[in-house]
Amino acid sequence: TVLRGATVDLAQKIHERQAKVAVVGIGYVGLPLSIEIARAGFTTVGVDVDKTKVAAVLKGKSFIGDVKDSDVAEVTKSGKFAATTDFKVLASCDIVNICVPTPFTASKDPDVSFIEDSGRQVAKHFKPGQVYQWNLNIQRALPGNMVFEIGYVGSKSSNFDRTTELNMYIPGTLIRPTP
């Protein structure tokens, strides 16, 4: 069937490290995730609206404290990681991870405009046989130096019988994605 065929095709691409992976938003979550996916052997492209982030990646430079320049340079020089501001590249990807910020508004409510904007861009290039995954985390400072965090993990796919979240990143750590 179509469902099984798409699942088998993607599973085989993943097993053979032939699946092309995109990460939308290459900030403090997306950049480390991109590097680890590329290190796992997948061709990876970071997509971001911030031209300075894209330019830094293309020069093999990091703009994140947790990520060394040498880590970025390693995967860009290997040809496994590139970056762009052009969302059209998503049409050629098999897996798309969405890692965009959720800052607070002046009224201290979550600003979901980055999620909405990237969602609209991603939707333009969605095709059967692709998997999209996103992680949304919102933090609030509480009295006594405590932080409350709520998170949501979601995915969307077309022509698949199931999908699994494999690439959870915890800021401040480098967790390798499941191969």
Side-chain angles (χ1 to χ4, degrees):
T1 68
V2 174
L3 292 176
R4 291 207 179 275
T7 302
V8 170
D9 289 347
L10 182 58
Q12 184 171 352
K13 283 183 175 182
I14 291 169
H15 179 73
E16 295 173 356
R17 301 297 194 260
Q18 297 299 311
K20 185 173 180 183
V21 181
V23 177
V24 176
I26 51 172
Y28 79 94
V29 173
L31 183 61
L33 178 62
S34 297
I35 289 169
E36 294 305 320
I37 293 170
R39 281 181 172 162
F42 295 94
T43 299
T44 308
V45 61
V47 183
D48 205 294
V49 296
D50 187 335
K51 293 177 184 177
T52 59
K53 289 180 181 178
V54 170
V57 166
L58 294 175
K59 292 176 184 174
K61 301 290 182 187
S62 176
F63 45 87
I64 304 293
D66 289 344
V67 178
K68 298 175 195 167
D69 286 347
S70 59
D71 293 333
V72 179
E74 169 197 333
V75 291
T76 55
K77 286 179 183 175
S78 74
K80 288 294 183 183
F81 181 48
T84 183
T85 58
D86 189 355
F87 280 82
K88 290 178 186 173
V89 73
L90 300 179
S92 67
C93 294
D94 301 296
I95 301 167
V96 178
N97 292 279
I98 303 170
C99 304
V100 294
T102 315
F104 290 106
T105 64
S107 62
K108 298 187 179 182
D109 293 315
D111 176 357
V112 296
S113 63
F114 291 99
I115 297 167
E116 293 171 339
D117 292 344
S118 63
R120 279 190 284 275
Q121 287 293 327
V122 165
K124 291 178 187 177
H125 306 288
F126 189 74
K127 66 179 185 181
Q130 283 180 316
V131 175
Y132 286 82
Q133 297 183 333
W134 57 92
N135 302 318
L136 169 64
N137 293 301
I138 300 172
Q139 296 179 343
R140 289 273 181 151
L142 300 174
N145 292 327
M146 296 182 67
V147 174
F148 172 77
E149 181 177 59
I150 186 167
Y152 173 78
V153 176
S155 66
K156 176 172 178 43
S157 62
S158 175
N159 293 348
F160 286 96
D161 49 359
R162 64 181 169 205
T163 59
T164 304
E165 168 58 44
L166 299 175
N167 297 311
M168 185 67 79
Y169 171 72
I170 301 169
T173 66
L174 284 179
I175 296 176
R176 295 194 186 278
T178 303

